[in-house]
Amino acid sequence: MGPLLAAVLTGTFVVELIFAIPGLGDTFVVSVTQRDYNLLVGVTVLYAAFLVVANILVDVVYTWLDPRDTLLRNADTQ
Protein backbone atom coordinates (compact mmCIF):
# COMPACT_ATOMS: atom_id res chain seq x y z
CA MET A 1 0.00 0.00 0.00
CA GLY A 2 2.94 2.35 0.63
CA PRO A 3 4.41 2.01 -2.88
CA LEU A 4 0.93 2.49 -4.34
CA LEU A 5 0.59 5.77 -2.47
CA ALA A 6 4.00 6.83 -3.76
CA ALA A 7 2.89 6.06 -7.32
CA VAL A 8 -0.25 8.14 -6.86
CA LEU A 9 1.70 11.10 -5.49
CA THR A 10 4.33 11.01 -8.21
CA GLY A 11 1.68 10.48 -10.88
CA THR A 12 0.43 13.98 -10.21
CA PHE A 13 3.33 15.34 -12.29
CA VAL A 14 1.91 13.82 -15.45
CA VAL A 15 -1.76 14.54 -14.70
CA GLU A 16 -1.14 18.18 -13.82
CA LEU A 17 1.03 18.66 -16.89
CA ILE A 18 -1.45 17.09 -19.32
CA PHE A 19 -4.59 18.75 -17.96
CA ALA A 20 -2.91 22.07 -17.03
CA ILE A 21 -3.97 21.81 -13.39
CA PRO A 22 -2.03 24.12 -11.08
CA GLY A 23 -0.36 22.21 -8.26
CA LEU A 24 2.92 20.91 -6.91
CA GLY A 25 3.51 18.67 -9.92
CA ASP A 26 3.08 21.59 -12.28
CA THR A 27 5.33 23.72 -10.06
CA PHE A 28 7.97 21.00 -10.19
CA VAL A 29 7.87 20.75 -13.99
CA VAL A 30 7.98 24.54 -14.41
CA SER A 31 10.92 24.82 -12.01
CA VAL A 32 12.81 22.21 -14.04
CA THR A 33 12.17 23.97 -17.35
CA GLN A 34 13.08 27.39 -15.93
CA ARG A 35 16.08 26.03 -13.99
CA ASP A 36 14.82 27.43 -10.69
CA TYR A 37 16.94 25.21 -8.46
CA ASN A 38 15.77 26.62 -5.14
CA LEU A 39 12.12 25.91 -5.96
CA LEU A 40 13.07 22.52 -7.36
CA VAL A 41 14.83 21.50 -4.16
CA GLY A 42 11.95 22.82 -2.06
CA VAL A 43 9.31 20.86 -3.97
CA THR A 44 11.49 17.73 -3.91
CA VAL A 45 11.93 17.96 -0.14
CA LEU A 46 8.19 18.54 0.30
CA TYR A 47 7.34 15.47 -1.80
CA ALA A 48 9.91 13.43 0.14
CA ALA A 49 8.34 14.53 3.43
CA PHE A 50 4.88 13.59 2.13
CA LEU A 51 6.15 10.14 1.15
CA VAL A 52 7.88 9.53 4.50
CA VAL A 53 4.79 10.56 6.47
CA ALA A 54 2.53 8.51 4.19
CA ASN A 55 4.69 5.39 4.57
CA ILE A 56 4.75 5.76 8.35
CA LEU A 57 0.98 6.21 8.35
CA VAL A 58 0.52 3.10 6.18
CA ASP A 59 2.71 1.08 8.58
CA VAL A 60 0.77 2.27 11.62
CA VAL A 61 -2.61 1.59 10.03
CA TYR A 62 -1.48 -1.82 8.81
CA THR A 63 -0.30 -2.75 12.31
CA TRP A 64 -3.58 -1.51 13.74
CA LEU A 65 -5.62 -3.56 11.24
CA ASP A 66 -3.52 -6.73 11.60
CA PRO A 67 -2.28 -7.09 15.20
CA ARG A 68 -0.18 -10.14 14.25
CA ASP A 69 2.26 -7.78 12.56
CA THR A 70 4.02 -5.99 15.39
CA LEU A 71 7.09 -3.82 15.45
CA LEU A 72 8.79 -6.11 17.96
CA ARG A 73 8.31 -9.19 15.80
CA ASN A 74 9.76 -7.36 12.79
CA ALA A 75 12.78 -6.24 14.83
CA ASP A 76 13.50 -9.79 16.04
CA THR A 77 13.59 -11.25 12.54
CA GLN A 78 16.24 -8.83 11.30
Side-chain angles (χ1 to χ4, degrees):
M1 189 164 202
L4 179 65
L5 190 58
V8 169
L9 280 177
T10 56
T12 60
F13 295 127
V14 176
V15 172
E16 290 176 7
L17 184 66
I18 291 174
F19 295 108
I21 301 171
L24 282 178
D26 182 50
T27 304
F28 182 84
V29 173
V30 168
S31 67
V32 168
T33 57
Q34 294 180 354
R35 296 183 180 174
D36 187 0
Y37 297 118
N38 293 329
L39 184 60
L40 183 62
V41 169
V43 173
T44 302
V45 168
L46 189 62
Y47 264 104
F50 282 158
L51 290 176
V52 167
V53 169
N55 280 327
I56 291 172
L57 186 64
V58 165
D59 288 342
V60 168
V61 169
Y62 185 71
T63 304
W64 179 66
L65 290 175
D66 189 7
R68 295 176 295 171
D69 185 29
T70 63
L71 294 175
L72 294 176
R73 191 178 108 208
N74 289 340
D76 291 338
T77 59
Q78 294 179 357

